[in-house]
Amino acid sequence: MTRESRGTPGPPTGTAADPAYRIEDLAHESGTTVRTIRAYLDRGLLPKPERRGRANLYGDLHLARLRQIAELLERGYTLASIKELLAAWDAGTGLGGVLGLVSEVERPWSDERPARIGRAQLSEAFGGIADEEAIAEAVELGVLEPVPGAADEFMVPSPQELAVAAELHAVGVPLPAISGHLRELRGQVEHMAERFMAFTTEYVFQPYLDHPPTDAEATEAAALVRRLRPLAQQTVDAELARAMRTLATQLVQRHLGPEHQRPEARQEPAAQEPPAQPQHITVTLPAATVRSVRALVGARNTAAFIAAAAEREVQARTMDGLVP
């Protein structure tokens, strides 16, 4: 005995009363398998069926619960986390806010709309050359997505990204270089995204993550996602603009030289200071020492001899300090 499919249900209410399905019928209605249903029963994800005679019968609650589990699995939840959510749901917490939060996170993070492009149009955008190797690499990178049943058409998730590639190719950048640059850039951007996510998780979303969120908490978190969504892109745009201006200016100055710089960017060479004049310091020496030096080198060379002797002593002490 089966019933007509009712589509994706709202939160199931009541119990498994009015059972109407055998397990084979329930599997058919829910689009799953008998083996899966039994596994869910063993895990406690489904309420026990009603026993009538020698048959186990299931009701609308089981069907609604199976559809809910399937939806959560599609959104990336594990069976363990689904069990926690369903337990909270059964306790009256509600899942509407949670699913709203998931939908908010999963929706596109830009206003750009995907476009469709034919192979001939794609070839024309890149100088009329049909480079199958480049197309295969673009598919691998996700820049192009094959359209099922249409061998000569592709979906373009980001028309802006494809337009940038076409413009770079038009000014002389080879396609392999563009692909390589995109791979490198993607790794760096993913790192920035990870850092932004870690930052916002620590300071904004952590209170919502240490327990299954209530309906109200999930709704509040979804509002925060909408509020913070543009901040990552705005920050990256501002910092990229600053870095590009700085680096481009340095590149121009390095290759064109000071004569091509803007007047305010030129720096006058610093005025050369005159060489430092030797300073004369009067030092009082014992009269006996001066007489001995004068007798040795003569009065004319006495001062130079004493200075040389002092300098040699300084150097000797310096050398002694270097010897371990």
Side-chain angles (χ1 to χ4, degrees):
M1 177 178 181
T2 61
R3 294 183 178 180
E4 294 181 359
S5 175
R6 293 171 175 77
T8 302
T13 59
T15 64
D18 190 24
Y21 308 101
R22 294 180 182 273
I23 192 169
E24 295 83 2
D25 302 327
L26 183 63
H28 175 76
E29 285 291 316
S30 63
T32 185
T33 65
V34 170
R35 182 178 180 180
T36 298
I37 293 174
R38 286 177 174 153
Y40 290 167
L41 286 167
D42 291 339
R43 285 176 171 266
L45 294 169
L46 290 174
K48 296 296 182 181
E50 181 176 332
R51 185 77 174 179
R52 286 191 182 176
R54 300 176 63 182
N56 289 325
L57 296 181
Y58 301 81
D60 286 340
L61 173 61
H62 297 93
L63 179 59
R65 179 57 57 88
L66 284 170
R67 288 173 175 167
Q68 193 68 71
I69 292 172
E71 183 176 355
L72 292 171
L73 286 172
E74 288 179 0
R75 295 176 182 274
Y77 285 84
T78 64
L79 289 177
S81 60
I82 290 174
K83 184 175 182 179
E84 292 182 2
L85 288 172
L86 293 177
W89 191 9
D90 290 338
T93 298
L95 284 183
V98 172
L99 296 182
L101 171 60
V102 173
S103 297
E104 184 63 40
V105 171
E106 289 181 345
R107 77 177 181 88
W109 281 63
S110 75
D111 296 330
E112 191 176 13
R113 295 185 177 182
R116 196 162 176 158
I117 189 172
R119 189 177 294 269
Q121 183 183 1
L122 182 64
S123 174
E124 181 180 355
F126 286 87
I129 301 175
D131 191 330
E132 295 301 321
E133 185 176 347
I135 291 177
E137 190 162 15
V139 170
E140 181 184 349
L141 287 168
V143 177
L144 300 175
E145 296 179 354
V147 176
D152 292 330
E153 291 191 348
F154 302 91
M155 289 299 299
V156 185
S158 174
Q160 292 180 1
E161 189 172 53
L162 185 64
V164 169
E167 189 66 26
L168 289 173
H169 184 260
V171 297
V173 182
L175 289 176
I178 296 174
S179 298
H181 176 70
L182 177 57
R183 290 182 186 275
E184 180 182 359
L185 180 63
R186 182 169 292 179
Q188 294 168 346
V189 170
E190 287 176 354
H191 174 71
M192 288 189 290
E194 289 176 359
R195 295 295 303 126
F196 189 81
M197 288 299 300
F199 174 79
T200 54
T201 297
E202 179 179 0
Y203 293 102
V204 180
F205 295 108
Q206 190 59 48
Y208 305 96
L209 302 177
D210 56 1
H211 64 280
T214 65
D215 206 36
E217 287 175 333
T219 301
E220 183 179 352
L224 285 172
V225 172
R226 285 192 296 272
R227 183 177 177 183
L228 297 178
R229 181 189 295 271
L231 298 186
Q233 183 171 352
Q234 291 171 6
T235 302
V236 172
D237 286 348
E239 285 301 308
L240 180 61
R242 179 197 61 78
M244 288 297 296
R245 182 179 186 275
T246 300
L247 295 176
T249 300
Q250 292 174 356
L251 180 66
V252 169
Q253 292 176 356
R254 185 164 62 251
H255 286 276
L256 297 184
E259 65 274 13
H260 297 283
Q261 298 177 18
R262 292 177 289 107
E264 61 270 23
R266 297 174 185 166
Q267 295 183 354
E268 296 295 334
Q272 294 184 353
E273 297 181 358
Q277 297 296 325
Q279 296 182 352
H280 297 278
I281 300 174
T282 301
V283 178
T284 302
L285 297 175
T289 301
V290 174
R291 284 196 299 270
S292 299
V293 172
R294 184 180 296 167
L296 180 63
V297 298
R300 183 176 179 180
N301 297 323
T302 297
F305 182 90
I306 293 174
E311 181 65 22
R312 186 175 66 178
E313 181 63 19
V314 169
Q315 292 179 356
R317 290 178 178 241
T318 301
M319 294 294 292
D320 290 343
L322 296 177
V323 177

